[in-house]
Amino acid sequence: MFMPSNARIATPLIAAAATLTFALPATAQQSDTDVLFDLLRLPDILSIMREEGLSYGDTIGQDLFAGPPTDEWHSKVERIYSYDVMVGMVREDFELSLADVDLTPMIDFFGSDQGQTIIGLEVSAREALLDDAVEEASEEMAATALAADDPRMDQIQTFITVNNLIETNVAGALNSNLAFYSGLVDGNAFGGALTEEDILTDVWSQEPEIRTNTTDWIQSFLFMAYQPLEDSDLEAYIAFSETEAGGHINRAMFESFDRLFNGISRSLGRAAALEMTSQEL
């Protein structure tokens, strides 16, 4: 099950046998939504996304500010990427998105040994990609497999198509960039010189590069994550993704992260605007 990523993209789910942890049986206090939330290991994913976000905040500081990012800037970024707030928002929207949906097929699939292996592999791969060297090696490995017509890459491409990962992630990235610009404008970073038309033109001009980067990242991430899987396991995942339940969970994942990412991006824009204007004084 692949989900949206901070400044990268979204992804259905996420897996890696070495650090596999199985969810505990549901207690009487847990709703089906909570059970599914934990089976998907969304708290773990959000922790990784927070680390991605802190690194992204540092990149913003280096790119936009006249001098090196200040301690105050780092503190602002840490507050924006509050883990508790992130989990709370995603959990709330996850529940709303799946209201009135029968969660039994999802819990059955992701609660199985097969489903938990897949989730574990996705989580471990996502965590490994925090290392730039691992990310570079992963992209090279996927590019080589693609050029060699590796059958596993064919499965990956089918999985991507079934879950509509490219279009959904590209749209999410464009919306996040638009929210960031809006935050900059809210903070008066450009003294009112940047119009809405200017923002839309600039954001849309990024679409080809975002599409290329998104495609490369998704392919490399999934190819690395699913390497330990048997072909039959990945085929089962693809088959589940094609069901009504698979469509519901895929949509819920993207909807659950949409408000979070747009809110974070807008907050980062506002914080960056304040930092820029204070440096000018």
Side-chain angles (χ1 to χ4, degrees), residues 5-199:
S5 111
N6 267 329
R8 285 183 220 261
I9 44 199
T11 34
L13 286 187
I14 300 187
T19 59
L20 189 60
T21 57
F22 294 92
L24 296 175
T27 67
Q29 289 74 37
Q30 283 186 303
S31 68
D32 284 350
T33 306
D34 286 334
V35 171
L36 185 59
F37 193 86
D38 290 339
L39 284 173
L40 299 179
R41 293 182 59 182
L42 293 185
D44 293 339
I45 289 300
L46 285 162
S47 178
I48 295 169
M49 288 183 169
R50 181 178 184 275
E51 293 300 316
E52 294 173 346
L54 296 179
S55 177
Y56 178 54
D58 190 58
T59 299
I60 290 174
Q62 294 177 21
D63 289 347
L64 292 184
F65 306 151
T70 62
D71 290 341
E72 184 178 358
W73 168 251
H74 290 304
S75 295
K76 288 178 180 178
V77 172
E78 287 188 0
R79 288 196 296 272
I80 289 170
Y81 282 99
S82 165
Y83 174 74
D84 290 340
V85 172
M86 291 171 68
V87 171
M89 287 181 64
V90 172
R91 188 183 293 274
E92 179 183 351
D93 288 334
F94 187 73
E95 184 171 358
L96 286 173
S97 184
L98 291 173
D100 301 323
V101 173
D102 180 10
L103 304 186
T104 303
M106 306 173 202
I107 291 174
D108 288 346
F109 180 81
F110 292 115
S112 68
D113 289 350
Q114 184 182 62
Q116 282 294 287
T117 296
I118 290 170
I119 295 301
L121 289 170
E122 291 179 350
V123 171
S124 294
R126 187 67 175 259
E127 186 172 26
L129 289 176
L130 291 172
D131 186 325
D132 291 341
V134 173
E135 181 173 6
E136 183 178 349
S138 173
E139 291 177 353
E140 291 176 359
M141 183 173 64
T144 299
L146 192 62
D149 293 325
D150 189 314
R152 173 51 60 89
M153 186 57 81
D154 289 340
Q155 286 184 298
I156 296 298
Q157 297 284 8
T158 299
F159 182 82
I160 290 172
T161 299
V162 167
N163 288 285
N164 196 30
L165 296 184
I166 303 302
E167 296 304 325
T168 311
N169 278 286
V170 168
L174 289 171
N175 287 335
S176 290
N177 286 356
L178 182 60
F180 181 77
Y181 266 112
S182 297
L184 286 172
V185 172
D186 289 345
N188 201 34
F190 306 106
L194 198 62
T195 67
E196 181 177 352
E197 183 178 357
D198 292 332
I199 293 173

Side-chain angles (χ1 to χ4, degrees), residues 194-239:
L194 198 62
T195 67
E196 181 177 352
E197 183 178 357
D198 292 332
I199 293 173
L200 290 173
T201 298
D202 190 67
V203 169
W204 187 247
S205 72
Q206 301 167 19
E207 195 273 348
E209 182 179 4
I210 288 174
R211 181 174 295 276
T212 297
N213 291 340
T214 296
T215 301
D216 291 345
W217 192 90
I218 289 178
Q219 289 178 163
S220 63
F221 165 74
L222 294 178
F223 188 74
M224 180 177 74
Y226 299 154
Q227 275 297 299
L229 286 179
E230 298 291 339
D231 287 348
S232 58
D233 291 327
L234 188 48
E235 286 299 327
Y237 196 10
I238 292 170

